Amino acid sequence: MDVKQSLLRHKMRIAALCFTVTSLFSAAAAAWQPINIDDDSVLRSPPSIAVRNGTLFFDGEIVKGSAAALHQQLEMRRVEKVSFNSMGGDVKEAMAMGREIHRRKVDVEVRNVCASACANYIFPAGKNKFVTQNAYLLWHGSLHSPAADIATESGGKDHAPGELVASPEFIALKEQETQFYQQIGVSSDMPWCPQRQADYREKFPEKWFSWSQANLARFGVNHVRFATGAARWQSTMSDRGVIFAEYCRSS
């Protein structure tokens, strides 16, 4: 069984579909607020990769070969910052990209959207993290998520809730995730701990959430810079339906 294909690729495809259909709905205050993504390049597959003036621009899905392509560009060219516009994708590839970015001490920019695997593994790995004013930074779980949530994200058709997470392939990949967060000095709770809350589905009906700058720092994600300030960015995102989680720990 290919864990990436049976779970993680399905998970990101579901997320991509939500955005493609036109909008992703979140509960904000007493009303449902649509989040409109007006750039379909976040779903480009294979992704486009270009380097201009010391910045590598990555647009589209993280797919098999993305880490090798990133490595090649970083070897060949002077790159000081990697600018992402991606809904996520292949977890193993995203972790490899994050390790490469962290090892080389490259900055990361969220240009329009950085969600799921992009937010989990690439954003926190940057030396400095830049978030543009209208950029979406979204999480919805990780390999450490409760088994029921993982089964739901994978479609729940091919595996019982506990079957997939008990497989040797999944356990090995989960251990890689643990080691990844230890390597970059970030808590592995960050992408998933809201899922431990009993009212998680009520608070986050579409499962997406984001973090304030202060809470990111509590998880070990530092050197985050917002184009017009953290408070203004958070206010803009809240107005667009993004729900911000409260700081939490897995134990």
Side-chain angles (χ1 to χ4, degrees), residues 54-129:
T55 297
L56 186 150
F57 295 89
F58 185 103
D59 289 84
E61 188 178 2
I62 299 167
V63 297
K64 186 174 181 179
S66 292
L70 175 69
H71 174 78
Q72 182 180 38
Q73 291 296 326
L74 295 181
E75 285 284 301
M76 293 172 51
R77 310 192 179 196
R78 179 186 63 84
V79 174
E80 298 175 353
K81 179 171 65 179
V82 182
S83 179
F84 277 89
N85 184 33
S86 174
M87 275 298 298
D90 188 298
V91 166
K92 192 170 184 179
E93 290 286 322
M95 277 195 277
M97 294 168 75
R99 283 192 292 268
E100 181 89 357
I101 286 168
H102 184 262
R103 181 178 69 84
R104 292 178 180 268
K105 297 181 172 60
V106 176
D107 293 341
V108 168
E109 176 186 65
V110 181
R111 187 167 10 102
N112 187 23
V113 179
C114 181
S116 205
C118 178
N120 285 12
Y121 312 112
I122 292 171
F123 174 74
K127 180 181 179 181
N128 296 297
K129 299 90 171 166

Side-chain angles (χ1 to χ4, degrees), residues 21-218:
V21 168
T22 299
S23 62
L24 168 69
F25 291 95
S26 300
W32 290 89
Q33 181 90 352
I35 300 177
N36 293 315
I37 304 299
D38 59 1
D39 184 358
D40 60 3
S41 65
V42 298
L43 305 176
R44 191 173 293 159
S45 185
S48 66
I49 300 175
V51 178
R52 299 189 297 273
N53 300 322
T55 297
L56 186 150
F57 295 89
F58 185 103
D59 289 84
E61 188 178 2
I62 299 167
V63 297
K64 186 174 181 179
S66 292
L70 175 69
H71 174 78
Q72 182 180 38
Q73 291 296 326
L74 295 181
E75 285 284 301
M76 293 172 51
R77 310 192 179 196
R78 179 186 63 84
V79 174
E80 298 175 353
K81 179 171 65 179
V82 182
S83 179
F84 277 89
N85 184 33
S86 174
M87 275 298 298
D90 188 298
V91 166
K92 192 170 184 179
E93 290 286 322
M95 277 195 277
M97 294 168 75
R99 283 192 292 268
E100 181 89 357
I101 286 168
H102 184 262
R103 181 178 69 84
R104 292 178 180 268
K105 297 181 172 60
V106 176
D107 293 341
V108 168
E109 176 186 65
V110 181
R111 187 167 10 102
N112 187 23
V113 179
C114 181
S116 205
C118 178
N120 285 12
Y121 312 112
I122 292 171
F123 174 74
K127 180 181 179 181
N128 296 297
K129 299 90 171 166
F130 299 94
V131 182
T132 64
Q133 174 58 24
N134 297 316
Y136 293 93
L137 185 56
L138 301 168
W139 287 268
H140 68 160
S142 77
L143 300 175
H144 282 76
S145 295
D149 289 292
I150 291 174
T152 299
E153 292 291 352
S154 65
K157 298 178 180 179
D158 300 326
H159 306 277
E163 182 182 356
L164 182 59
V165 299
S167 69
E169 295 90 345
F170 186 92
I171 291 171
L173 196 57
K174 183 176 178 180
E175 178 58 29
Q176 289 182 40
E177 183 181 81
T178 298
Q179 294 172 359
F180 171 83
Y181 283 114
Q182 290 174 345
Q183 180 180 353
I184 68 171
V186 170
S187 171
S188 60
D189 291 344
M190 178 193 63
W192 75 275
C193 70
Q195 294 176 318
R196 289 180 58 88
Q197 300 170 7
D199 60 351
Y200 170 69
R201 295 181 184 276
E202 289 72 34
K203 281 187 175 180
F204 308 97
E206 300 304 324
K207 305 172 188 175
W208 296 97
F209 57 88
S210 193
W211 297 110
S212 68
Q213 183 181 40
N215 281 332
L216 284 171
R218 297 179 74 178

Side-chain angles (χ1 to χ4, degrees), residues 231-245:
R232 184 173 177 183
W233 171 79
Q234 186 171 343
S235 176
T236 297
M237 291 295 102
S238 295
D239 288 344
R240 296 184 178 190
V242 176
I243 304 173
F244 283 79

